[in-house]
Amino acid sequence: MRNVNVNSIGEYIREQREQAKISMRQLAQSAGVSNPYLSQIERGLRKPSADILQQIAKGLRISAEALYVQAGILEDRPADSGVRSALLADPQLSERQKQVLVEIYESFRRENAAGADTGADAEADGPPELTVGSPGAEAEVLEAALAAEAEAEAEAEAEAKAGAKAGAQPAGDGQTVPKNRPDSASD
């Protein structure tokens, strides 16, 4: 990790905020931080945590990775195969979904690069075990959980759509009810 210049991250955040034509007060509110704290970050008096940088990135509507690189938390990476760009450009994904997918994609790339460096084959039984307290352990576990949750939601939605196309809708008790059934009771 490179040496962090607190002034440069603050200057970068200020430049991004000014380019977006957002006031400091607006950014502080959307990022969930106090106005004085954001001011101290921009003036180089405070070094924001990765979590605060993520909130600021969300408020600025920029990639958190860009702030992490600027702050020295992440190394600047070479261009990818276009997968990141495609994920970030997808209008049907929320910002959080885009971020999680990019982070998962990058973790796979790191895992494959590490396997190529050691000449080891990827383990067939799942992702590598994370040691509690290792850098990124919590984030990767959270990412995997969010991805599994999103996948389950997508499957449930697909099942619901398939049921609707079949002419039936699931009832609250798990039974299916014909879609265009006339009401037997009138009020």
Side-chain angles (χ1 to χ4, degrees):
M1 187 162 65
R2 68 184 169 112
N3 192 9
V4 178
N5 182 345
V6 179
N7 286 335
S8 69
I9 185 62
E11 290 170 6
Y12 182 77
I13 290 170
R14 180 178 320 158
E15 289 171 5
Q16 294 299 311
R17 180 178 59 77
E18 289 172 351
Q19 286 178 358
K21 294 183 173 46
I22 300 173
S23 73
M24 188 179 298
R25 188 174 310 271
Q26 289 170 321
L27 178 57
Q29 183 177 8
S30 66
V33 299
S34 72
N35 196 36
Y37 182 65
L38 181 59
S39 174
Q40 290 173 350
I41 291 170
E42 286 191 359
R43 291 182 288 141
L45 302 175
R46 294 275 188 138
K47 178 185 171 195
S49 68
D51 186 45
I52 297 297
L53 287 174
Q54 182 179 13
Q55 291 172 247
I56 291 171
K58 184 177 176 184
L60 290 170
R61 297 181 181 216
I62 63 172
S63 163
E65 185 179 59
L67 287 181
Y68 293 159
V69 168
Q70 190 68 29
I73 295 171
L74 288 178
E75 293 295 321
D76 201 3
R77 297 183 185 147
D80 63 27
S81 62
V83 173
R84 288 182 70 250
S85 302
L87 288 172
L88 295 173
D90 190 332
Q92 294 184 345
L93 297 175
S94 71
E95 290 303 315
R96 178 68 185 141
Q97 289 169 331
K98 290 176 187 179
Q99 183 179 18
V100 169
L101 286 170
V102 167
E103 289 171 0
I104 290 170
Y105 171 70
E106 292 296 336
S107 73
F108 285 145
R109 287 176 53 105
R110 284 191 303 271
E111 183 180 320
N112 290 345
D117 291 343
T118 62
D121 293 332
E123 294 181 29
D125 57 353
E129 188 173 299
L130 295 172
T131 305
V132 174
S134 67
E138 299 86 356
E140 290 186 19
V141 170
L142 175 62
E143 291 167 6
L146 288 172
E149 182 181 343
E151 186 176 323
E153 289 176 6
E155 288 175 6
E157 187 176 316
E159 288 175 8
K161 286 182 181 177
K165 286 183 179 178
Q169 292 179 328
D173 58 1
Q175 299 176 359
T176 57
V177 179
K179 198 172 190 178
N180 296 324
R181 190 178 100 193
D183 284 340
S184 58
S186 59
D187 290 328

